[in-house]
Amino acid sequence: MRITIISIFPDLVRTFLGAGLVGRAVEAKTLETKVVDLRDHAHDRHRTVDDVPFGGGGGMVLKPEPLFEAVETHRQPGDAVILLSPQGEPLTHALATELAGSRGLLLLCGRYEGVDERVRLELVDREVSIGDYVLMGGELPALVLLEAVARHLPGVLGNETSAARDSFAQGLLDFPHYTRPQEFRGLRVPDVLVSGDHGAVAAWRRQEALRATWAKRPDLLERAALDETDRAVLASLGRDSA
Ligand code: ADE
């Protein structure tokens, strides 16, 4: 898969793309990335990419000309052009999975107060938000989206941790994890995890995922795929809390 990122902070983006499992995926060419400096597409002496908003008010708006030129120069066939903005559709596990099936993504990082509306109207296929809060720009959101998508590409995670096994793939929060030592400051790892009984471990993990979701994000349970055993576990949690 190919991901192109257009930003006024190309070095920040490149640093991230060199690190960790994303860095490894880039090295292995599972993920092909290109970082474009928006200022390379601004042709005045000061390489200006922003201007004051028509109608007044504070802040600056990213100008259309550099963004149009950057997208038209670097967009490749099959690329979905995505603008990161707080006005976008929420980034979810389902959206990350869907985007991982694209041939390519071209990510536009907004800055300042916003992006000239003609960019959104003419160039953008999808607008994506990483949450209901406002950041100073789209770089971190673009990297969040990239990492959420990259996890779904074959070979990026080891077999043991495939994205299909993510808790969110099942619509639930994750179960608790433990590692050595078995006892730490008087706190013991639950016996079932050291029992060697794989069936019992799986049942415990499912129960704890249901418990965490019920306690912290009950809204998720309305959409999760639950079977009879899950419903019995949830019913017993309800009784426990009463
Ligand atoms: N740019 C600024 N804030 C953002 C957000 N919450 N999501 C995506 N892009 C943004």
Side-chain angles (χ1 to χ4, degrees):
M1 180 181 208
R2 157 187 85 226
I3 302 186
T4 305
I5 302 178
I6 299 177
S7 162
I8 59 165
F9 293 117
D11 292 340
L12 184 153
V13 174
R14 280 193 201 101
T15 300
F16 181 85
L17 296 178
L21 288 180
V22 167
R24 248 199 261 171
V26 170
E27 213 171 285
K29 297 196 168 41
T30 309
L31 181 61
E32 222 177 277
T33 56
K34 186 198 265 185
V35 182
V36 174
D37 186 349
L38 182 61
R39 290 191 195 280
D40 290 347
H41 296 277
H43 300 294
D44 64 310
R45 213 151 47 91
H46 301 291
R47 309 214 304 157
T48 309
V49 292
D50 61 327
D51 207 338
V52 294
F54 278 118
M60 299 292 272
V61 176
L62 285 183
K63 291 162 63 60
E65 307 95 312
L67 276 165
F68 268 73
E69 186 185 288
V71 171
E72 286 164 356
T73 303
H74 297 284
R75 180 173 50 198
Q76 296 194 46
D79 277 358
V81 178
I82 296 179
L83 173 66
L84 283 306
S85 109
Q87 282 75 45
E89 60 184 302
L91 178 60
T92 59
H93 182 87
L95 179 57
T97 314
E98 180 190 339
L99 293 176
S102 311
R103 272 170 73 187
L105 303 177
L106 195 156
L107 307 180
L108 303 182
C109 306
R111 271 274 138 189
Y112 313 109
E113 291 303 300
V115 171
D116 188 283
E117 182 67 3
R118 289 160 293 192
V119 170
R120 207 181 56 77
L121 293 174
E122 294 292 314
L123 297 177
V124 170
D125 297 311
R126 293 180 94 143
E127 207 174 346
V128 174
S129 165
I130 63 159
D132 290 341
Y133 44 83
V134 180
L135 301 173
M136 250 80 95
E139 281 74 17
L140 293 175
L143 295 173
V144 167
L145 185 150
L146 181 145
E147 180 161 325
V149 167
R151 300 180 79 256
H152 295 278
L153 303 178
V156 169
L157 302 180
N159 300 338
E160 280 299 293
T161 45
S162 87
R165 289 176 41 175
D166 282 348
S167 58
F168 268 105
Q170 328 244 333
L172 298 177
L173 299 185
D174 207 358
F175 51 79
H177 299 263
Y178 290 89
T179 187
R180 282 176 288 199
Q182 202 171 326
E183 184 171 336
F184 176 69
R185 297 195 175 178
L187 300 171
R188 286 184 59 77
V189 172
D191 288 339
V192 62
L193 296 181
V194 293
S195 66
D197 179 342
H198 298 301
V201 169
W204 180 86
R205 286 179 168 168
R206 183 76 184 177
Q207 175 191 301
E208 292 307 310
L210 288 162
R211 187 198 304 281
T213 310
W214 184 79
K216 300 179 202 169
R217 290 290 308 276
D219 57 300
L220 293 177
L221 291 173
E222 279 154 40
R223 278 165 282 141
L226 303 177
D227 65 15
E228 282 310 306
T229 314
D230 295 332
R231 291 188 194 287
V233 168
L234 287 170
S236 76
L237 291 175
R239 275 199 301 276
D240 291 350
S241 74

